[in-house]
Amino acid sequence: MKLKRKSISYAKWGYVFILPFFLSFFVFSLIPLADTIRYSFYEYYRSGIKEIGPKFIGMENYISLLKSDMIRYAGNTLILWIIGFIPQIVIALLLASWFVDARLKIHGLQFFKVVIYLPNLIMASAFAMLFFTMFSTGGPINSILLSLGWIKTPIDFMGTVFGTRSLVGLMNFLMWFGNTTIMLMAAIMGISPDIFEASELDGCSSIQRFFYVTLPLIRPILAYTLITSIIGGLQMFDVPQILTNGQGTPDRTSMTLIMFLNSHLKSRNYGMAGSLSVYLFIVSGILCFFVYRMTNDNDPDGSKAAEKKNRKKGRR
Amino acid sequence: MKKKMVSILLTAAIIAGTLAGCGGKTDSASQTTEEGKVINIYCWNNEFRERVEAVYPEVKETSADGTVTTLNDGTEIHWIVNPNQDGVYQQKLDEALLNQADAAADDKIDIFLSETDYVNKYTDADADVAMPLADLGIDPDTDLADQYSFTKVTASDVNGVQRGSTWQCCPGLLVYRRDIAMDVFGTDDPEAVGEKVKDWDTLKATAAELKAKGYYTFASYADTFRLYGNSIDQPWVSPGETVIKVDQKIMNWINDSKEWLDAGYFDKNVKGQWNADWNQAMGSASKVFAFLFPAWGIDFTLSPNWDGGDGAWAVTNPPQEYNWGGSYVHACTGTDNPQHVKEIILAVTADKDNLLKISRDYTDFTNTQSGMQEAAADDKNFSSEFLGGQNAFKYFAPVAENIVIAPLSAYDQGCVELIQNTFGDYLQNQVDFDKAKSNFETAIKERYPEITEIQWPEQ
């Protein structure tokens, strides 16, 4: 018997068990990721069934992207995201503060929580198909409005910039407000009840309580919601793609960045698509950095900042 | 120790599972007989299979799920079906073609199909994925002499070498509602109505008549596109060039469509084709007088969308001869079953009796000039139930003989799709003409990165 085995380490088994993940991650994620970045410096696409390239062309893809309408599509993406996000966060805040308010005694709370989350369970593409059919010129919405006598001729919802963008915003709102509500509810429930009690004793109205107690205390979660939603919004694809048949009609005003990427992939233009992905990667990376800073807040109650301020004052 | 073994085994199993997709199929002892045991056919629906089953005498049986057809000599046909929508079929086919050289003999593609919209991509002489028919032992001049010549031109490469063959031919007609014709013209006789739609000027006067009674002539501006777009004089892109030349006929389509749409001859609520509104326009509640369809359109599109009884629609001559669609059969370079492939192509696309059988059973307008003339005269066997006993072949045959097929290029599919989409915005007054032009330029360069310039005709 050797006496070398002083303690038994199980740690290595941990590594063995996570090995499959790292292997599959390496093969299916890391290598394609590296390839995407590599090909972004190449001219590489298909013409018919002939492959062109790969030929190294340096930054040319990046430059021609900047010269293209990319910035405009980024603007479209931002607008579409904002149209969906503003109602989403407002309604979610309102619902969350109602749902957790013990004094309101809402009946069937669990039922409502399920209902508002339901739209998120439908596949985005199926949801877009549904809206496409409902809001088409000969669709049910127009038939209802016509038979009610509210309109004389059918409204061409998807023929106008306003209509198309609103529909995309509405869909994103419907799909995500439930999710946000539940996240914000968790955040509000995480606030110590003592604080609410104290504010009530001091004669705080419910509106004051919301703006001066709840809102500041859930700020980190709000920021987290905002940033993750921006990152999700950057990748907005299926809803406008299905609704406009991949064309971003009318006049490419609902063409998002990922739809732009997708139209490059129709010709298997790996070079151009790669450099567009790298741009998106950089923007998402910057946003992730903010999330990281926020979730790893080393000054959660503001005491350090206050101390700093005091010191500054003291020095004066 | 035992535990250790077990856990190593488990881990290995997990890893193996993760990577299972990477391993190639192990080939069972490759046989060195002359013909392979498996014929792989790439296509997008059951159409071709049904026709092979109907006319290829060697067919013994097809499995219940329709994926394998066994021939009398034991050879199996494997049907590899991918939907045409969103270019899925072409993607899968392209992948397979790129791997064709390295594939095991029984995994090689032997036959694949293509549509007129993209046939040119596969008959390209440089790409050389579709075998010249002559290499199979088919002489187009003698074996395919009875085919309509424009189908042979379509399936040929720039050097005039024929690399595919088709059983169908898709001359288009004007299909109209008898009740609307009765209401507006006082007659629903195909000859009389044909007189009213015989050319574009007459049709325009007729359109005004229909408008006065509250009817639309056609559903959408996209309906007339094929008549203009499939008769362009020069290809979208000339061989060897990277410049798109937009044909004057396309500009005519845009201008005429604008005029017609503003005049109310089209239903402005129907935007393009293949959508719910367009399908609804084929229903009995619709105010649309006519559609422009080849044989397949009447069968696969109009008939399923029509909610009334048979005999409500009739066909007559279109304002201009045109062709729309058609599936081409190609022998794939590298096939290990050249003899079977040759037999299948000849049986399905060159045998007059077989083609007439297809016409009778599947109402295809088939690729045999003499046969179709017989069909046109044979009201007993070739009348259509849906058309209330009318013999459509009588109208198809003269159209087919007069078709001048537009010169094709490998870029047709994208050009046709994108010009309709970008100018759709213009026709609906969303953008002005120049903006629509520049949108087309942007979109087409995205689709085909090698395109360097777009030339528009003088207005």
Side-chain angles (χ1 to χ4, degrees):
Chain A
M1 260 306 207
K2 288 180 197 166
L3 285 171
K4 243 182 173 179
R5 263 170 62 176
K6 276 177 196 154
S7 63
I8 308 168
S9 165
Y10 290 108
K12 62 180 173 185
W13 294 115
Y15 290 118
V16 169
F17 280 118
I18 58 173
L19 189 64
F21 165 75
F22 279 98
L23 273 180
S24 55
F25 173 77
F26 185 74
V27 173
F28 295 110
S29 294
L30 199 64
I31 294 177
L33 184 74
D35 257 358
T36 305
I37 296 174
R38 187 164 66 91
Y39 283 135
S40 71
F41 300 106
Y42 286 79
E43 179 188 55
Y44 187 27
Y45 59 87
R46 287 242 188 105
S47 161
I49 37 180
K50 288 167 280 188
E51 259 181 0
I52 310 284
K55 186 180 109 200
F56 185 79
I57 50 167
M59 300 295 283
E60 222 164 275
N61 285 331
Y62 291 89
I63 294 164
S64 62
L65 267 183
L66 279 184
K67 281 187 203 145
S68 74
D69 286 344
M70 183 178 72
I71 306 294
R72 197 180 145 212
Y73 305 136
N76 288 342
T77 314
L78 190 71
I79 291 170
L80 290 175
W81 171 75
I82 285 176
I83 296 176
F85 185 72
I86 288 177
Q88 177 191 324
I89 199 82
V90 169
I91 301 282
L93 264 177
L94 200 65
L95 287 179
S97 55
W98 281 346
F99 282 176
V100 293
D101 198 331
R103 285 183 310 175
L104 284 177
K105 288 201 181 67
I106 299 171
H107 291 292
L109 189 61
Q110 212 56 38
F111 172 74
F112 288 117
K113 276 195 221 164
V114 172
V115 167
I116 60 169
Y117 200 80
L118 274 183
N120 205 316
L121 297 181
I122 309 176
M123 225 179 0
S125 47
F127 205 51
M129 282 290 271
L130 181 74
F131 265 62
F132 181 82
T133 319
M134 284 208 313
F135 285 89
S136 68
T137 40
I141 299 283
N142 267 316
S143 315
I144 291 171
L145 290 178
L146 278 171
S147 59
L148 285 175
W150 290 4
I151 51 172
K152 290 274 183 301
T153 50
I155 301 172
D156 190 0
F157 289 103
M158 277 163 296
T160 60
V161 180
F162 178 77
T164 312
R165 283 183 172 170
S166 313
L167 280 180
V168 173
L170 178 65
M171 266 184 273
N172 281 328
F173 157 65
L174 280 178
M175 277 177 54
W176 291 105
F177 85 102
N179 190 44
T180 314
T181 306
I182 284 169
M183 204 139 64
L184 293 180
M185 273 171 64
I188 297 176
M189 284 193 288
I191 301 171
S192 161
D194 303 356
I195 303 176
F196 287 123
E197 242 168 67
S199 70
E200 262 166 55
L201 287 176
D202 285 341
C204 203
S205 76
S206 60
I207 292 172
Q208 280 173 324
R209 193 184 55 194
F210 177 75
F211 280 105
Y212 296 109
V213 181
T214 314
L215 216 46
L217 284 174
I218 61 167
R219 202 181 47 95
I221 296 288
L222 269 181
Y224 171 80
T225 317
L226 176 78
I227 302 283
T228 48
S229 175
I230 292 179
I231 294 172
L234 264 183
Q235 299 176 14
M236 193 189 302
F237 171 65
D238 24 19
V239 167
Q241 170 83 12
I242 303 275
L243 194 72
T244 66
N245 209 0
Q247 304 296 327
T249 46
D251 191 21
R252 296 169 88 91
T253 48
S254 49
M255 168 87 73
T256 67
L257 282 171
I258 301 286
M259 285 166 76
F260 184 51
L261 177 70
N262 192 51
S263 56
H264 282 305
L265 285 177
K266 277 220 169 134
S267 58
R268 300 292 174 103
N269 194 343
Y270 297 123
M272 201 66 99
S275 50
L276 181 53
S277 307
V278 170
Y279 274 127
L280 281 174
F281 181 74
I282 292 170
V283 175
S284 312
I286 293 170
L287 293 173
C288 280
F289 173 73
F290 282 120
V291 177
Y292 180 79
R293 285 288 297 275
M294 243 169 283
T295 46
N296 288 294
D297 196 351
N298 56 7
D299 183 21
D301 51 1
S303 59
K304 281 184 187 167
E307 201 182 318
K308 217 173 168 184
K309 216 171 161 189
N310 279 337
R311 240 185 289 148
K312 235 178 174 177
K313 234 186 230 165
R315 241 183 279 146
R316 226 182 276 153
Chain B
M1 211 55 214
K2 224 177 187 177
K3 264 188 192 164
K4 206 171 181 176
M5 288 290 282
V6 170
S7 43
I8 289 173
L9 252 161
L10 279 173
T11 322
I14 293 169
I15 295 170
T18 339
L19 301 177
C22 300
K25 259 185 278 173
T26 42
D27 212 17
S28 52
S30 57
Q31 288 174 329
T32 44
T33 47
E34 222 169 290
E35 291 273 295
K37 285 280 144 220
V38 177
I39 302 171
N40 290 304
I41 302 186
Y42 270 68
C43 50
W44 54 84
N45 58 20
N46 298 334
E47 204 183 359
F48 185 57
R49 193 190 83 220
E50 286 169 0
R51 279 139 186 81
V52 169
E53 283 168 9
V55 299
Y56 186 44
E58 295 297 313
V59 171
K60 196 168 135 204
E61 59 182 352
T62 299
S63 64
D65 60 355
T67 52
V68 177
T69 297
T70 315
L71 302 181
N72 286 332
D73 63 359
T75 309
E76 287 180 354
I77 300 181
H78 289 190
W79 302 94
I80 299 132
V81 180
N82 289 296
N84 229 338
Q85 280 81 21
D86 284 332
V88 174
Y89 172 70
Q90 289 183 65
Q91 269 175 31
K92 300 271 182 189
L93 177 61
D94 291 356
E95 286 309 319
L97 287 173
L98 286 173
N99 295 327
Q100 174 84 345
D102 308 327
D106 281 351
D107 293 334
K108 282 193 199 300
I109 312 172
D110 298 294
I111 293 180
F112 66 91
L113 268 64
S114 73
E115 280 197 290
T116 309
D117 276 349
Y118 50 85
V119 62
N120 200 276
K121 174 172 158 189
Y122 296 104
T123 54
D124 189 278
D126 294 338
D128 195 32
V129 291
M131 274 171 81
L133 292 184
D135 292 2
L136 274 178
I138 300 175
D139 181 359
D141 292 333
T142 54
D143 294 330
L144 309 178
D146 198 26
Q147 289 193 346
Y148 286 94
S149 57
F150 78 89
T151 65
K152 290 156 79 172
V153 174
T154 304
S156 300
D157 63 20
V158 275
N159 310 318
V161 178
Q162 195 174 345
R163 289 171 182 265
S165 175
T166 180
W167 72 91
Q168 68 181 166
C169 174
C170 302
L173 293 182
L174 185 134
V175 203
Y176 66 93
R177 286 257 297 272
R178 282 177 183 270
D179 56 331
I180 296 179
M182 208 64 191
D183 183 24
V184 179
F185 312 128
T187 173
D188 63 355
D189 178 52
E191 293 294 328
V193 175
E195 200 50 40
K196 292 205 148 277
V197 299
K198 65 172 194 257
D199 54 47
W200 286 113
D201 290 335
T202 322
L203 184 57
K204 209 161 114 184
T206 310
E209 257 182 83
L210 285 159
K211 169 91 194 317
K213 287 261 187 177
Y215 294 109
Y216 302 112
T217 309
F218 298 117
S220 125
Y221 47 84
D223 281 346
T224 57
F225 182 83
R226 296 285 171 173
L227 280 67
Y228 295 83
N230 289 6
S231 62
I232 52 177
D233 301 319
Q234 51 177 0
W236 284 93
V237 178
S238 305
E241 287 184 13
T242 56
V243 178
I244 288 190
K245 294 197 191 87
V246 183
D247 197 272
Q248 183 58 43
K249 291 228 169 67
I250 302 294
M251 304 321 277
N252 293 349
W253 171 73
I254 295 166
N255 295 332
D256 291 350
S257 295
K258 183 78 182 161
E259 188 189 333
W260 280 50
L261 192 65
D262 290 346
Y265 302 159
F266 297 135
D267 184 346
K268 70 173 189 330
N269 291 327
V270 182
K271 291 182 275 182
Q273 296 177 317
W274 312 113
N275 53 43
D277 290 329
W278 190 60
N279 290 342
Q280 267 179 24
M282 296 173 204
S284 53
S286 137
K287 296 272 179 207
V288 175
F289 169 63
F291 286 87
L292 294 156
F293 272 135
W296 58 259
I298 298 173
D299 267 355
F300 287 106
T301 315
L302 185 61
S303 168
N305 283 313
W306 174 246
D307 48 356
D310 286 346
W313 294 83
V315 294
T316 189
N317 52 279
Q320 177 184 349
E321 284 86 14
Y322 69 103
N323 179 74
W324 182 9
S327 312
Y328 288 82
V329 187
H330 307 278
C332 190
T333 307
T335 174
D336 59 326
N337 308 68
Q339 195 54 37
H340 277 110
V341 170
K342 178 188 169 187
E343 282 174 19
I344 292 173
I345 290 182
L346 285 176
V348 181
T349 72
D351 185 295
K352 185 174 157 191
D353 292 334
N354 287 346
L355 289 170
L356 279 174
K357 182 174 158 58
I358 292 174
S359 279
R360 264 196 312 276
D361 296 353
Y362 300 101
T363 67
D364 271 347
F365 185 89
T366 48
N367 203 0
T368 158
Q369 295 191 49
S370 58
M372 288 301 98
Q373 269 158 13
E374 284 168 29
D378 183 358
D379 288 354
K380 195 162 71 78
N381 285 318
F382 291 92
S383 66
S384 152
E385 239 172 76
F386 177 71
L387 299 173
Q390 194 188 10
N391 179 4
F393 290 90
K394 202 150 86 192
Y395 291 91
F396 281 126
V399 173
E401 278 153 28
N402 290 320
I403 287 172
V404 181
I405 194 78
L408 300 178
S409 76
Y411 303 90
D412 293 359
Q413 199 181 22
C415 290
V416 165
E417 189 187 314
L418 293 173
I419 201 109
Q420 292 192 48
N421 281 326
T422 49
F423 280 92
D425 279 343
Y426 164 69
L427 295 171
Q428 291 159 36
N429 290 324
Q430 291 294 325
V431 297
D432 61 23
F433 190 76
D434 290 329
K435 182 70 189 161
K437 268 176 154 179
S438 74
N439 278 347
F440 174 71
E441 290 176 10
T442 312
I444 202 76
K445 281 181 179 164
E446 266 166 32
R447 177 73 67 88
Y448 303 117
E450 66 270 36
I451 294 298
T452 47
E453 196 192 338
I454 289 96
Q455 287 174 5
W456 301 88
E458 301 293 320
Q459 277 299 304

